[in-house]
Amino acid sequence: INEHQSGQRIDNFLVKNLKGVPKSHVYRLLRSGQVRVNSGRKKPHYKLQTGDVLRIPPVRVSENNNETVPDSIINLLKDAVLYEDEGIIAINKPSGIAVHKGSGLRFGVIEAFRQIMPEQPLELVHRLDRETSGCLLLAKNRQILAQLHELLRHEKTVHIEKTYLALLHGDWTQGKYFADDRTTIDIGISKVKRSGEHMMQADAEGDSAISHFELIEAFNSEGIPPCSLMKITIETGRTHQIRVHSQYSGHPVIGDSKYGNKAANKLFRELGLNRLFLHARRLYLPLADPITIEAPLSDELEQLLKKLRA
């Protein structure tokens, strides 16, 4: 066990490294003593230490877990790297690529980078929706992962600042939340099931969620539905938070098939927008040496803004 692997619970380490082996079998191996640390048995909650020698018995791994990420995706993500040092990698995640596999997806960003850097113990620092583009952080070791997770806690005075750009349906200046400076939407979010689909909704009794909206530019072009380019910062990180708060404001995100306006989305598809217009533009990391990471908009989003300004 090297220094990057130390500090992990042995059960979590085994589940992560024995891809395709059911969790129940991993725990059976631990209970029966077939897994040994320094020649001795250990409980599942034992935390591995640098220098430990771990013996794992032969196990059968499902073949379908050995699928590789296509070269086209590998090359796309290599080109998307914005920043890298000894502790982190920051990428400009393309829209349409999930951050990890699951729910019928064979791979995501983290699986791709583990294929690119097989010797590096990479972990996701945070998540973005599959259709959201922009700044995404990966940690190269557990120490920096723990440090960044601490900075993601918004109740702390010093925390990671996330700034998004979104194109919202309707003229924000005519809406109930328009103000001279930024507007705060502070309403909880809870999960519901509608027509067999899990969704999030604004709910005063839900988990606390706070988003700050600031108008950048309002568009009222002839023949195009009115829309507003917004800068949005979030104080909490609830699932679909910006999308739900935008819907609650009466101005859903353009291109949002789950919470958006279907008629407006159809018109914007005709203008060439085939994705959600939500982009994680900027991350500020208040480390010992602070880091600011900015992700440029994709050509598709830039071209749409040009059309709106024409």
Side-chain angles (χ1 to χ4, degrees):
I1 299 299
N2 62 36
E3 61 180 9
H4 297 308
Q5 298 166 324
S6 67
Q8 296 182 71
R9 284 175 49 135
I10 190 172
D11 54 351
N12 293 336
F13 177 87
L14 292 170
V15 167
K16 175 184 170 184
N17 287 277
L18 298 180
K19 302 293 186 184
V21 178
K23 281 187 179 181
S24 58
H25 188 60
V26 169
Y27 284 98
R28 192 177 305 123
L29 293 174
L30 284 165
R31 285 197 304 270
S32 63
Q34 295 181 67
V35 174
R36 298 272 174 159
V37 179
N38 304 326
S39 301
R41 293 187 179 210
K42 293 295 180 185
K43 298 287 187 182
H45 56 74
Y46 171 76
K47 291 189 176 180
L48 295 166
Q49 305 298 315
T50 302
D52 278 352
V53 177
L54 182 64
R55 178 198 176 276
I56 303 172
V59 291
R60 184 182 297 277
V61 177
S62 299
E63 292 182 4
N64 61 7
N65 281 273
N66 295 326
E67 295 176 347
T68 57
V69 180
D71 288 343
S72 58
I73 300 296
I74 292 291
N75 293 331
L76 180 65
L77 292 176
K78 281 183 177 178
D79 290 341
V81 173
L82 297 167
Y83 175 86
E84 182 176 359
D85 61 22
E86 66 279 0
I88 64 172
I89 299 173
I91 72 164
N92 186 358
K93 187 189 84 66
S95 174
I97 298 180
V99 295
H100 58 71
K101 67 179 181 180
S103 301
L105 300 172
R106 294 187 295 110
F107 59 83
V109 170
I110 190 64
E111 288 77 26
F113 272 92
R114 285 171 179 163
Q115 186 173 312
I116 295 168
M117 308 171 71
E119 303 304 315
Q120 193 73 55
L122 295 170
E123 297 289 350
L124 286 166
V125 176
H126 61 113
R127 288 165 171 75
L128 291 176
D129 293 344
R130 183 179 179 184
E131 299 306 321
T132 302
S133 57
C135 294
L136 180 70
L137 282 182
L138 309 179
K140 290 183 174 181
N141 58 67
R142 291 185 61 81
Q143 289 74 22
I144 190 67
L145 180 67
Q147 185 179 359
L148 291 170
H149 277 174
E150 185 68 16
L151 289 172
L152 280 169
R153 295 172 58 189
H154 288 273
E155 65 268 21
K156 298 286 186 179
T157 303
V158 178
H159 58 260
I160 291 175
E161 296 175 12
K162 299 178 182 178
T163 303
Y164 293 78
L165 289 181
L167 188 67
L168 305 189
H169 175 53
D171 185 344
W172 185 266
T173 65
Q174 303 302 313
K176 61 181 178 180
Y177 282 103
F178 176 67
D180 290 335
D181 51 11
R182 72 178 189 173
T183 301
T184 297
I185 294 180
D186 181 354
I187 187 168
I189 292 176
S190 62
K191 181 185 282 188
V192 293
K193 195 169 186 178
R194 292 180 185 149
S195 303
E197 182 182 16
H198 286 291
M199 299 181 69
M200 310 307 289
Q201 68 175 8
D203 179 2
E205 302 301 318
D207 294 330
S208 173
I210 302 172
S211 306
H212 304 290
F213 290 73
E214 183 178 339
L215 178 66
I216 297 175
E217 193 171 357
F219 302 99
N220 285 286
S221 305
E222 185 176 349
I224 298 174
C227 53
S228 303
L229 183 64
M230 309 292 293
K231 181 173 80 171
I232 305 169
T233 58
I234 55 176
E235 285 196 23
T236 49
R238 306 302 175 200
T239 301
H240 299 170
Q241 177 172 322
I242 291 175
R243 296 163 67 184
V244 172
H245 276 177
S246 296
Q247 179 196 45
Y248 176 77
S249 77
H251 301 279
V253 180
I254 295 293
D256 192 337
S257 60
K258 199 162 189 148
Y259 305 99
N261 181 295
K262 290 182 180 179
N265 290 348
K266 182 176 184 297
L267 290 170
F268 276 93
R269 279 196 299 274
E270 293 171 359
L271 288 173
L273 182 68
N274 295 298
R275 53 157 291 185
L276 177 74
F277 200 127
L278 180 60
H279 180 73
R281 181 59 184 269
R282 180 179 179 271
L283 283 176
Y284 172 71
L285 311 181
L287 301 169
D289 292 316
I291 300 170
T292 298
I293 298 161
E294 293 197 2
L297 291 173
S298 67
D299 288 343
E300 182 179 3
L301 300 187
E302 287 285 12
Q303 288 302 318
L304 177 64
L305 292 178
K306 284 183 180 179
K307 289 178 182 179
L308 294 175
R309 291 171 179 141

